[in-house]
Every structure is written in C-alpha cells, then in structure tokens.
C-alpha cells in the first residue's frame, strides 16, 4: 500500500511540476501455461524388485526408494496436468524538464496468477514490485542518482536503495561511488529473513548495506579500463557478507578487440572469473573470436556454500560469424570445452565426468523479400546435464507492421544426472503487429509433445503454452519505442 | 577565317547534344551543289528574325515539281526548347566585326565530326563552344566546367520538356564514390552551376535538412523536376569514413562537433533507432537538434535493424557494459537491462523454451546465471514449487538414477555447487556436514578457515557448535 502511495505521489508530482516531457510506457502480458508438477507416490514393497544400491524398481522399471522395514517404497511421478494464467503489467515512467539535467524514473511491476496451478508461478503472491524509482540529476561533469536503482558492473547487475554519484573529470575518465541498502536480486526487497524465508531455511540474520566505487578510463575507439571494488556489510557491522573487486579491459589492436576480465572474491580468496578473449573481423564478411576463461561460483558469506570449497573450471571457447552485407545470410557457430579442477572428493573408481563441451551452430537466410528462415542446433555435454536441441523457424513479414513466424523445436528432456530419457518436439507460431509507432501487439502459441524412450507408461510432458503481450508508449517526446534496442532486436533468435 | 567561324556558330541548333550529333532532317549534302552559302536559306538566323530562319516550304517546289525533280513535302522544323544561352545574331555580328568569312563559321560548328565536306552538317556540338569560350575544362561535362557560360538555369528554361530534363547527361563526377559526401557547392557560382540541371526538388529528395541549407534555398523549385522525383526514394551512399570498423564507436565526437553536417542525410529517427536511452545524455541533446522527417520530404538514412554491435554482443556485453567502453545509456534505457537482469521472465534474452532446457547452460555457466538471477530466490522458488527440489531427502528425484550418489555427490557439489543451491537449502547439507549432524567435514584441502572467520564468524557457527579456530 505504501508503494502504491509512493507511485501515486511520483505521478502527481510529474503533473504538478509541469514536466517538459513525460514518457510512460508499459507492457501488459498474459501467459497460459500447463505443467505437471512432481509428486511423491508409493508402491507396496512386495511389488518391487531389487535394482542396485538402496534402490528397487517396479515391474515397469521405475526406480523407487525403499526404507528398511517400511511396507511401501516411494518414488516421484508427474501429477495430473494443471494450468495457470500469469499476468504481468510493467510500467515505466520517465519525466524530465524539471531543471537542467533533472529527471525522474520509475519502473513498476504488478503481477498475479490464476488457475489451479497458480502457486507454481514464481512470486505470484508478490503482487507489486518497484524495480526502480529514482531521481537523476545529470550535468556534463557529474551525475547523481538517488532512490532504488540498478548498477551494471563487472561484478554483475545488482540493485540497491541509495545514492550513486558519478563524476566525469575528463572526457576519458569516469569515477563512481555508490552506497545504500542492499536488495535481493529478483525480489527487490531488503536482504533479511522476511524476504528469503520462503526459499531459505537459514536466511541472513540482518539487513545489509552496500558500498562501492569504480573508475573507468575510456579512449573512444582505442580501448577502456574499469576497476571496481564493492563490499556488502551486515547492518550491525558485525559481519561481512561480501567483499569483491573486479576489473575489465578492452583494447583495440587494428581491427581486433582484446578483452580481459577479472572478478575476485576477497573474502574467500577465490578468483571467480578470469577471462581473456580476442575478437576480430576476418575475411569475406566473417568475424570470429577466441576466449580463454576460468570460472568459479561465487557465494555471499551469509550462506555456508563457500565453505564447501567449490572448484571452478577452465574453459576455451571460440566463435565464428558470417553475415552478408545485405543481411541475406548469416551463420554463427560457437564451441567450448571446459575442464573442472580437482575436487579431492568422490569415488576414484567411479568418478563423475570432470569436463564438458558445448557446440552450437545457427543460420539465418532470407528466402524471399519477406520470408526469412532460421535454424539452429546445439549440443551440450557436461557432468550434470547433457542434451541436444534443434530449432527451425520461418518468419514472414508481409508488410512492415506485421510479422508472422512458424517455429519448430526438438530437445531432450533432462533431469540432472538422468539424461536423454525423453525427447520433446514442439510446434508453434508467433506474430507481431505494430499497430502504431507507440503500440505493438505480440502473441505466440506452442504445442509440445513428448516421446519417452522405452517408457510408454510414464506420464507425458505434453503441454500447451500461449503468450500475449501488448507494448505501448505514451507521452511527450515519446518518439522512441520500448521494444527497440539491441536486446529487442535479438527477439527473433530461435 | 574568324568570320567563317562565327557564321558557323549561327547555325547552332536549338538543342546541343554533346554526345550524339544528329544529322539534320533536310538532306543538306544532296543539295551541296545548289547552295553556295548558308544564308541563302537561313538568313533569318543571322538576322535574328525567326520567320526567315528557314526557307518557305514552297521554295522546294521550284525544283521538286514532279517535272524537274520528284515532288516532296518539307516543312521547317519547329523551334526546339532549349536551356542554351546562345544567341546567333550576337555571334554573327561579332564574327562580322572581326572579319570572318561567309560560310566557314557555320561549318565549323555544324559540320559532322571529322567530315568537312560542304553541307555535310548536323546539330552543333558542345565542343564547338569550348573552342572559343573559357570553359576551363577539356570536355563538356568536366568537373570544372562553367555551365552557366552557355546554359541558363533549369528554372529559366521553362519550355524545356520534362523528358528532355530526364535525358540530361550525367557527368562522370556524379558517379564517383565520394560524390555523395563532397558535392556541396562552395559558392554562388557553384550553386548556379548545379541549378543548370537541378531544381530544389533534386536536393529535397535526399536532404532531410533542405529547408536549412542556404545553397538549396538558392535553387529554384521546378514542377517538372518534382514530377521526375515523385516516387523515387532517396539513396544514400555511405561516406568512406562511415565504413571504418571504428565508426560506430567514434561517430559521436564528429556528430557533436558538426551535427548539421550529419543532418544532410540523417533525421532524428536515424539516431533514435539505436539511441533509445535517456533524454538527458549529451548524445540525446545533440540528436535533438536534428530535423524530424518532413511529411513529404526526405526521411533520412534508415538505420533500423542495422548491426550496431558485434554478432556475439548479446552474450558478451558484460565486459563492455562494465567497462563503460560504450556509452550504453546513449542508446539504451535501463529498463532494457532490467527486463533481463531483474530476473523477469522476459524472453528477449533466452530462447522461447529456455526454461525447459536450461539445465545444460546452467551447469556450463555459458552466461553467468548469477549476473541476473540469485539462485536462492529465482531458481529455488521455481524448483521448489514445481517439486523438482527436495526438502531434505538425501536422495531426491533428481538423483534417483545415480546408485552411488551418496558417495559421488561430493565431487558433483564441488564441481557445480551453484546448481545444487537451485534446489537444496543449507539445512539439507547440515544434516551431515555439521557438528549437530554426522560431523562430516565438507572443507577442501585449501580451505582457509581463518580468512572466513575474520570476515563473518557467524557463518562458521552455522555448522560448528563452538569456534573451530579456538583450540
């Protein structure tokens, strides 16, 4: 209720201050989803046969778990198909003209879900969310941002309630200091027990403050360097939740770009990310790159996970792209191979796989002036999950405001450490209609069918999905559209 | 000799074609022995009296009477519209004053190329003018040609039909690669030269800022050119500077320095198709000075859909964004970041059915999931609700296919602990790995307890009943 009131105040403030320009854009979306949640079931012990270890199996081959002296064995199975309709309303407000460089921004989200399986939809009960709400004062040499905001940084993208001061003492130099109350990514709520209790049985004992800073040197066209430091401290200052440093660097050497990245967890003394890559245009409209990377997972100190000595992996990856200048044909291929460090754990005579690889090839071709075909194939093999998948799409754009696409997909169904039991094929269509420069309607529908290898008795994964999305923008000076931008342009990727 | 030259000039036809010299329809060469001078038939051309420019039709019948010769029907050609400034009487008078001969001047311009026989004539060639006039060029359509010496402006050549305008020869300079970026007239003389063949509509077709360009304002409007331009879309050739691989990174400085130069080809949408970011950036303020497309004017270069970032940028943009190598805010609004990074279910980043097959990508960390999603909330909330996650069982549904899972899970956990936390809560592990549990040590060989303890002793006490560093 307080948030709604705050939103109302922001909106009324925009009108009373007679802002020079206000853009309000929104996205209203509705989704119909069918799911089969897993439920625990049982079978009489007498109807099972011995398999291996603690496991037994039913006559149809389903693995069950039996506890000594219990009359029944248990196993998980898919429940009856359930459906839900999830609705989400995003509203973005940007107002400016309150003075030189002064603007206000708000990004708000309302959501709800209906149907028998409504509880399955994440955050269905959190009906209102303020993702961002801040005042921005931007002058040529400095910018101050106060309120709920997001930071994109070497250390990731995170949100906080606080103050962000950026100073640009020279055209090639930018410095930034920020501080405020830390928030849980995705929840947009303070880092305390109340926010995490539904999913974490040992939540942090207190809220936290975040403080950090960065310095960037950018020589346009030459390269750039960024260094960042950040720490998250428990509100009572009795403990540290995280302390990290990061750095990135880019350097253009002729047509090639060299990039490097380092993220280090000072608290655990572990390097989470160390990468170097080179990308360059090649011959005949080809460009490609090569990356060497070390990755290790990062965990905040309010969890015990870091004490389990997680290891990282070293990876080499390469990618190759071809795009005709007129865009008629484009091809992409990338591959990577990773090798995990020694865990000093497990069974020496029955080790788990300690490497993995990944390959993807994709292509796109304009068959006719208004018809485009896309296809991709990917294979991912690793110690925990492996699978292959393929996609194909035909996109027809009969006129500028209309786009219709037919899609087909096939992929292996995966449970961790249970691979390739089934294969899902899907057929669907999506369409967009740009009703006006400020109004766009998009919809898609998919039908999935599962074929389970040698297990006809298993309940299928068959399901239908439907999405409808209306994007709109109103306001003075609103000559840009919310779905534009490079991310939007990748929407068609299969 | 000079008089002959001037007399020849008198016979310049109304229209000069520099490339294709046409034979006159009257067979002059067949009458070569009958007429000793040009003026015997074309006296009016020299005198400037139009009715005597050609002989009367009846004069043919004095010979072509079906008795002496076969009767013919001949009519004098109609006066052709032209954009020439040429004046026969003036040239004739000047030639006479300089003592030129009677017929030679006519022949010097109207003789067929390379044929000097008497009365082998046709329409005059532009090169004939260059023989006397200061053209400052070796050929008719040369880059430095002074067009206005012989030609009036297109707007003043009101009788010239549209078809004739459409058939104007195109100078070779106009097809050179850098012509698009270097064709601006530098002075009024050059404007007048452009106006010989072009009208304002020629410029308005491509120039989005036509109303603000002084040179274009000086060129008159013309309905004939307007009709020729109707339906023709603007064509913009990218200047050489724009084809540089660094152009997309460095064009901001040039635009800030001289945005009006950009405005020749670009309207605001050219920029805002990429620069969709904050209205408060310097880039936005510069872009705001560009014109909007006029309802019936040029739309400017259309850049929508063009490739701004490298092909793999969507997956690798973290480094550029973090290092601020590019001014992200110049093109993007923050909501474009949070549409993915806020853990929303936007499908703009992941494929449409990514949720069904994300396990492999999560284990491989092809993109670092934690950059956008917190496993304790985003992943686990979904896994718990869909019953994929267990609530404490040591052998849950996900591991039912692993007979030795209990002994193998240590390696799996250390290799993919982030994936473990998408289902398991801390207490699941504490059942064994704690003082209150089975006291199984989960620490690896390089574990430094003092380092963690110095920063957050509370974490140690989650598993240990007493400070493990105190003997």
């Amino acid at each position: 209720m307080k948030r709604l009131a705050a939103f109302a105040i922001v909106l009324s403030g925009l009108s009373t201050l007679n802002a020079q320009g206000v853009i309000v854009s929104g996205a209203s979306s509705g989704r119909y989803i069918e799911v089969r949640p897993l439920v625990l079931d049982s079978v009489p012990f007498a109807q099972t046969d011995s398999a291996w270890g603690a496991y037994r199996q039913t006559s149809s081959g389903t693995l069950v778990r039996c506890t000594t002296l219990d009359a029944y064995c248990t196993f998980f199975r898919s429940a009856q198909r359930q459906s839900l309709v999830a609705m989400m309303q995003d509203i973005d407000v940007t107002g400016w003209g309150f003075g030189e460089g002064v603007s206000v921004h708000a990004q708000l989200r309302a959501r709800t879900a209906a149907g028998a399986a409504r509880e399955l939809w994440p955050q269905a009960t959190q009906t209102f969310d303020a993702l961002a709400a801040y005042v921005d004062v931007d002058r040529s040499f400095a910018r101050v941002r106060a309120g709920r905001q997001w930071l994109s940084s070497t250390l990731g993208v995170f949100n906080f309630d606080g103050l962000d001061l950026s100073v640009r003492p020279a055209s090639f130099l930018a410095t930034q200091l920020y501080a405020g109350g830390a928030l849980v990514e995705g929840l947009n709520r303070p880092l305390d027990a109340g926010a995490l209790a539904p999913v974490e049985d040992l939540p942090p004992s207190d809220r936290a403050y975040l403080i950090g800073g960065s310095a960037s040197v950018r020589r346009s066209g030459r390269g750039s360097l960024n260094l960042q430091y950040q720490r998250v401290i428990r509100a009572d200052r009795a403990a540290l939740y995280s302390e990290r440093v990061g750095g990135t660097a880019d350097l253009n050497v002729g047509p090639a770009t060299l990039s490097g990245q380092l993220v280090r967890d000072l608290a655990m003394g572990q390097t989470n990310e160390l990468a170097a890559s080179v990308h360059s245009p090649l011959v005949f409209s080809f460009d490609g790159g090569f990356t060497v990377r070390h990755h290790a997972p990062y965990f905040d100190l309010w969890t015990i996970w870091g004490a389990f000595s997680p290891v990282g992996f070293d990876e080499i990856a390469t990618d190759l792209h071809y795009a005709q200048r007129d865009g008629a044909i484009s091809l992409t291929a990338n591959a990577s191979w990773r090798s995990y460090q020694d865990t000093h754990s497990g069974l020496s005579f029955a080790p788990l796989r300690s490497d993995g690889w990944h390959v993807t090839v994709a292509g796109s071709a304009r068959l006719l002036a208004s018809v485009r075909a896309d296809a991709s194939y990917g294979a991912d093999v690793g110690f925990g999950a492996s699978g292959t998948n393929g996609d194909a799409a035909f996109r027809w754009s009969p006129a500028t405001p209309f786009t219709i696409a037919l899609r087909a997909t096939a992929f292996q169904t995966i449970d961790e450490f249970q691979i390739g039991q089934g294969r899902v094929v899907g057929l669907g269509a999506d369409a967009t209609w740009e009703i006006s420069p400020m109004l766009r309607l998009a919809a898609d529908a998919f039908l999935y069918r599962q074929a389970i290898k040698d297990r006809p008795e298993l309940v299928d994964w068959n399901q239908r999905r439907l999405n409808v999305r209306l994007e709109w923008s109103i306001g003075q000076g609103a000559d840009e559209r919310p779905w534009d931008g490079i991310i939007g342009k990748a929407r068609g990727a299969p | 000799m000079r008089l002959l030259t001037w007399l020849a000039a008198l016979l310049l036809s109304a229209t000069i074609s520099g490339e294709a010299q046409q034979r006159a329809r009257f067979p002059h060469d067949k009458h070569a022995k009958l007429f000793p001078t040009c003026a015997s038939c074309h006296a009016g051309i020299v005198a400037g009296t139009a009715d005597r420019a050609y002989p009367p039709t009846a004069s043919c019948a004095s010979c072509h009477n079906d008795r002496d010769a076969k009767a013919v029907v001949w009519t004098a050609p109609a006066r052709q519209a032209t954009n020439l400034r040429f004046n026969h009487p003036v040239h004739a008078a000047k030639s006479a004053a300089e003592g030129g001969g009677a017929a030679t001047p006519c022949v010097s311009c109207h003789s067929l190329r390379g044929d000097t026989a008497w009365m082998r004539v046709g329409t005059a060639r532009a090169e004939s003018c260059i023989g006397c006039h200061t053209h400052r060029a070796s050929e008719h359509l040369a880059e430095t040609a002074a067009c206005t010496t012989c030609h009036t402006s297109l707007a003043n050549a009101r009788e010239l039909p549209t078809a004739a305008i459409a058939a104007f020869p195109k100078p070779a300079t106009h097809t050179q690669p850098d012509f698009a970026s270097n064709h601006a007239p530098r002075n009024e003389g050059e404007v007048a030269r452009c106006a010989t063949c072009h009208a304002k509509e020629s410029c308005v077709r491509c120039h989005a800022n036509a109303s603000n360009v002084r040179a274009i304002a000086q060129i008159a409007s013309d309905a004939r050119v307007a009709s020729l331009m109707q339906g023709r879309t603007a064509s913009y050739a990218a200047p050489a500077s724009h084809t540089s691989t660094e152009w997309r990174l460095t064009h901001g400085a040039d635009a800030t320095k001289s945005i009006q130069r950009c405005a020749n080809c670009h309207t605001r949408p050219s920029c805002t198709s990429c620069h969709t970011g904050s209205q408060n950036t310097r880039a936005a303020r510069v872009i705001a000075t560009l014109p909007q497309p006029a309802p019936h004017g040029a739309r400017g270069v259309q850049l929508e859909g063009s490739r701004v970032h490298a092909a793999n940028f969507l997956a690798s943009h973290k480094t550029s964004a973090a290092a601020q190598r590019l001014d992200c805010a110049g093109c993007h609004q923050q909501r474009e970041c949070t549409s993915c990074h806020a853990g929303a279910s936007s499908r703009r980043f992941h494929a449409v059915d990514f949720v069904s097959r994300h396990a492999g990508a999560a284990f491989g960390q092809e993109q670092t999931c934690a950059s956008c999603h917190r496993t304790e909330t985003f992943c686990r909330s979904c896994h718990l609700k869909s019953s994929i996650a267990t609530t404490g069982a040591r052998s849950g549904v996900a591991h039912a296919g692993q007979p030795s899972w209990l002994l193998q899970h240590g390696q799996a956990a250390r290799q993919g602990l982030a994936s473990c936390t998408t289902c398991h809560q801390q207490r699941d592990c504490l059942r064994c790995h704690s003082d209150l549990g089975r006291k199984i040590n989960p620490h690896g060989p390089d574990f430094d307890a003092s380092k963690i303890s110095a920063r957050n002793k509370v974490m140690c006490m989650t598993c240990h009943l007493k400070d493990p560093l105190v003997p």
Side-chain angles (χ1 to χ4, degrees):
Chain A
M1 200 62 193
K2 287 178 181 175
R3 290 167 181 159
L4 283 174
F7 179 47
I9 291 170
V10 169
L11 287 181
S12 63
L14 291 176
S15 59
T16 55
L17 285 169
N18 193 21
Q20 201 176 68
V22 177
I23 293 177
V24 181
S25 60
S28 315
S29 62
R31 298 179 175 198
Y32 171 82
I33 297 168
E34 290 179 340
V35 291
R36 284 185 183 277
L38 293 169
V39 294
L40 191 64
D41 204 348
S42 62
V43 61
F45 181 87
Q47 296 179 12
T48 64
D49 299 319
S50 176
W52 16 252
Y55 293 93
R56 296 174 67 83
Q57 61 185 7
T58 64
S59 56
S60 61
T62 301
L63 285 170
V64 297
R65 177 171 174 76
C66 306
T67 304
T68 309
L69 302 179
D70 277 358
Y72 290 89
C73 300
T74 59
F75 63 98
F76 286 91
R77 66 166 176 82
S78 293
Q80 289 302 306
R81 182 180 291 114
Q82 297 179 2
S83 64
L84 67 91
V85 175
M87 288 164 284
M88 188 181 291
Q89 176 63 58
D90 282 339
I91 292 180
D92 301 299
V93 182
T94 301
W96 69 97
F98 309 105
E100 184 185 347
V102 180
S103 59
V104 295
H105 304 262
Q107 189 178 1
L108 311 167
R109 174 172 295 163
R111 63 168 80 80
T112 188
R118 71 179 297 272
E119 291 301 322
L120 292 179
W121 189 248
Q123 293 181 270
T125 56
Q126 191 181 341
T127 53
F128 182 80
D129 219 351
L131 277 69
Y134 59 88
V135 178
D136 190 294
V137 182
D138 195 347
R139 300 296 175 84
S140 58
F141 66 97
R143 187 198 71 192
V144 178
R145 187 173 281 180
R148 175 163 296 182
Q149 55 193 293
W150 291 78
L151 272 180
S152 304
S153 74
T154 307
L155 303 178
V157 179
F158 48 90
N159 49 348
F160 65 97
D161 290 330
L163 196 70
D164 172 18
L165 170 65
S166 298
V167 179
R168 295 179 285 266
S171 61
F172 62 88
L173 179 64
T175 58
Q176 185 177 30
L177 284 173
Y178 53 89
L183 299 173
V184 182
E185 294 136 280
L187 288 181
N188 307 299
R189 297 170 67 187
L191 191 68
D192 61 9
L196 286 168
V199 289
E200 179 55 68
D201 51 10
L202 294 171
S205 53
D206 205 347
R207 295 188 178 195
Y209 295 120
L210 168 151
I211 185 167
S214 70
S216 303
V217 178
R218 179 177 59 162
R219 301 294 291 181
S220 186
R222 299 274 181 85
S224 63
L225 173 68
N226 171 268
L227 298 172
Q228 184 180 13
Y229 171 83
Q230 178 180 294
R231 69 183 343 199
V232 180
I233 318 159
R234 209 168 76 173
D236 61 4
R237 301 177 65 185
L240 192 69
Y241 282 166
S242 109
E243 184 178 26
R244 290 192 293 164
V245 292
T248 57
D250 279 355
L251 180 65
N252 292 329
V253 180
T257 299
L258 307 177
S259 302
Q261 183 185 12
L262 170 69
V263 175
R264 186 162 175 81
D265 181 356
L266 298 179
M268 295 296 296
Q270 187 174 40
T271 298
N272 302 117
E273 195 78 30
L274 179 62
S277 66
V278 56
H279 276 86
S280 175
L282 304 172
V283 294
F284 304 124
S285 298
F286 280 92
D287 63 77
F290 186 78
T291 301
V292 180
R293 174 192 181 210
H294 169 80
H295 171 85
Y298 160 77
F299 298 100
D300 286 338
L301 282 184
W302 63 260
T303 71
I304 60 171
W305 302 121
F308 285 76
S309 301
V311 300
F313 60 77
D314 299 317
E315 184 179 57
I316 53 173
T318 184
D319 57 86
L320 186 66
H321 311 276
Y322 169 78
Q324 277 188 354
R325 281 194 174 275
D326 62 357
I329 296 176
S330 66
L331 301 167
T332 298
N334 56 59
S336 66
W337 179 82
R338 62 183 183 273
S339 174
Y340 291 87
Q341 294 174 312
D342 188 0
T343 62
H344 304 283
S345 181
L347 296 175
S348 58
F349 59 90
L352 294 176
R353 188 182 186 116
S354 61
D355 65 355
W357 55 267
H358 167 85
V359 171
T360 298
V361 290
S364 178
R366 189 170 58 223
L367 304 180
L368 300 170
S370 59
V371 178
R372 192 160 194 95
D374 301 296
S376 70
Y377 173 82
D380 200 323
V381 173
F383 83 93
S386 300
T388 58
N389 60 79
D391 296 272
F394 286 94
R395 182 168 296 278
W396 180 43
S397 306
T400 302
F402 295 100
T403 300
I404 301 169
L406 290 176
R407 294 180 175 279
T409 185
F411 56 89
Q412 287 178 311
T413 47
I414 309 168
D415 286 333
E416 276 82 350
F417 303 99
Q418 297 185 43
I419 297 159
Q421 288 188 343
R423 188 172 296 279
V424 173
V425 293
L427 197 63
D430 68 60
T432 58
W433 177 23
E434 196 170 317
I435 302 165
S436 78
M438 296 297 121
L439 188 63
R440 197 182 82 129
L441 181 65
D444 64 74
F446 248 89
L447 185 64
Y448 292 99
R449 285 286 179 266
Q450 186 186 31
I452 302 172
K453 185 181 178 183
D454 302 330
R455 307 291 295 279
E457 83 288 358
L458 289 185
V459 180
D460 62 59
W461 192 81
N462 299 351
Q463 54 186 279
R464 293 165 290 184
R465 292 183 190 170
L466 175 67
N467 298 296
V468 179
R469 184 178 176 90
L470 183 68
E471 297 167 334
W472 49 267
S473 183
I474 55 174
Q476 192 176 349
D479 56 355
E480 53 85 25
R481 293 166 295 179
W483 51 89
D484 275 343
I486 193 65
I487 293 176
K489 284 166 185 163
R491 190 185 310 115
Chain B
M1 191 63 185
R2 293 184 68 84
L3 179 61
L4 286 175
T5 304
W6 284 113
L7 283 174
L10 294 177
L11 294 176
L12 278 171
S13 66
T15 301
I16 288 179
S17 171
E19 301 302 325
Q21 191 185 9
Q22 297 175 350
R23 284 185 69 113
R25 285 175 293 173
F26 177 77
H28 284 84
D29 50 348
K30 290 182 179 176
H31 299 76
K33 295 178 180 175
L34 293 176
F35 304 108
T37 65
C38 302
S40 57
C41 289
H42 301 291
I45 290 179
V46 178
T49 51
D51 58 337
R52 293 175 55 210
Y54 294 94
T57 303
S59 64
C60 299
S62 61
C63 295
H64 291 280
N65 52 14
D66 277 343
R67 186 179 64 248
D68 301 321
K70 185 181 178 185
V72 296
V73 178
W74 178 86
T75 54
R79 181 178 177 277
Q80 292 186 26
T82 179
N83 65 341
L84 280 175
R85 288 179 183 277
F86 189 80
N87 187 313
H88 277 99
V90 169
H91 282 75
K94 190 172 182 181
S95 177
E98 293 176 359
T104 307
C106 306
V107 172
S108 62
C109 286
H110 286 280
S111 64
L112 298 178
R113 193 190 301 269
D115 188 349
T116 57
W118 173 243
M119 286 192 67
R120 294 274 293 172
V121 295
T123 53
R125 289 173 284 112
E127 286 77 4
S128 305
C129 309
I130 301 170
C132 296
H133 289 285
T134 305
H135 192 252
R136 297 197 302 272
S138 57
E139 57 183 3
H140 178 216
L141 300 174
E143 185 178 8
T144 54
C147 310
T148 55
T149 303
C150 298
H151 294 280
T152 185
S153 70
L154 188 64
N156 288 331
R158 297 182 189 283
E159 296 175 358
L160 204 60
T162 305
I165 297 172
F168 276 173
K170 189 173 188 178
T173 55
H174 288 30
T175 58
Q176 289 176 358
D178 59 343
F179 179 76
S181 54
N182 291 322
H183 69 280
R186 286 158 290 195
N187 51 53
E188 292 192 1
E190 292 189 355
V191 172
R193 194 172 61 163
C194 299
T196 304
C197 298
H198 298 285
K200 184 171 290 181
E201 287 75 12
S202 311
C203 312
V204 171
R205 175 182 156 221
C206 299
H207 281 273
N209 61 341
S211 59
N212 297 328
V213 179
R214 187 162 170 260
I216 297 175
Q218 289 175 318
I219 298 177
S221 191
D222 191 283
R224 295 164 296 178
V225 176
S227 70
L228 289 172
M229 294 297 136
Q230 198 166 25
R232 290 183 64 186
T233 55
S235 62
Y236 299 98
S241 62
H242 291 32
T243 60
S244 155
T245 53
E246 292 302 325
W247 177 249
R248 69 172 190 266
L249 302 175
T250 60
H251 71 280
D254 286 348
T256 304
K257 189 177 174 184
S258 56
I259 188 69
Q260 292 313 317
R261 183 171 167 80
C262 308
N264 283 303
C265 300
H266 296 279
T267 54
R268 219 175 293 177
S270 301
C271 306
T272 54
S273 62
C274 293
H275 288 270
T276 58
S278 167
Q279 305 283 340
N280 273 317
T281 62
R282 185 187 300 175
R285 289 191 281 274
V286 170
I287 291 166
T289 63
L290 282 175
Q292 288 281 23
H296 302 293
R299 295 182 63 195
V301 178
Q302 303 292 299
L303 291 173
E304 193 159 350
S306 60
R307 190 167 135 183
V308 177
H309 297 301
N312 69 330
F313 190 77
L314 195 63
S316 65
H317 69 280
K318 179 181 180 181
T319 306
S320 293
Q324 299 177 26
R325 176 166 182 258
L326 301 169
D327 181 9
C328 305
C331 299
H332 299 283
Q333 302 221 1
Q334 194 172 40
R335 64 183 175 219
E336 291 173 29
C337 306
T338 53
S339 67
C340 292
H341 288 289
S345 49
S346 166
R347 295 175 303 135
R348 291 180 174 183
F349 187 79
H350 296 305
V352 286
D353 48 9
F354 183 75
V355 69
S356 306
R357 44 177 160 168
H358 66 282
F363 274 96
Q365 292 288 297
E366 290 158 23
Q367 281 87 46
T368 307
C369 306
S371 286
C372 308
H373 308 292
R374 180 175 283 272
T375 53
E376 287 85 0
T377 53
F378 184 80
C379 306
R380 197 183 297 163
S381 68
C382 195
H383 288 178
L384 280 174
K385 288 182 174 180
S386 57
S387 299
I388 293 171
T390 65
T391 52
R394 281 171 295 180
S395 297
V397 59
H399 310 304
Q402 299 291 116
S404 308
W405 180 247
L406 193 63
L407 299 174
Q408 288 177 309
H409 83 281
Q411 181 188 356
R414 285 192 175 148
Q415 287 187 176
L417 193 55
S419 295
C420 302
T421 64
T422 64
C423 294
H424 292 282
Q425 302 183 54
Q426 297 176 73
R427 207 181 293 275
D428 295 344
C429 304
L430 293 176
R431 288 168 180 261
C432 296
H433 302 291
S434 69
D435 280 352
L436 286 176
R438 297 179 188 270
K439 295 185 172 66
I440 298 173
N441 180 9
H443 304 315
D446 299 327
F447 181 72
D448 186 348
S450 60
K451 186 174 284 185
I452 296 177
S453 176
R455 288 168 171 79
N456 191 345
K457 196 179 289 288
V458 176
M459 189 187 98
C460 304
M461 304 310 290
T462 305
C463 307
H464 296 277
L465 291 176
K466 64 182 187 65
D467 190 341
L469 296 177
V470 176

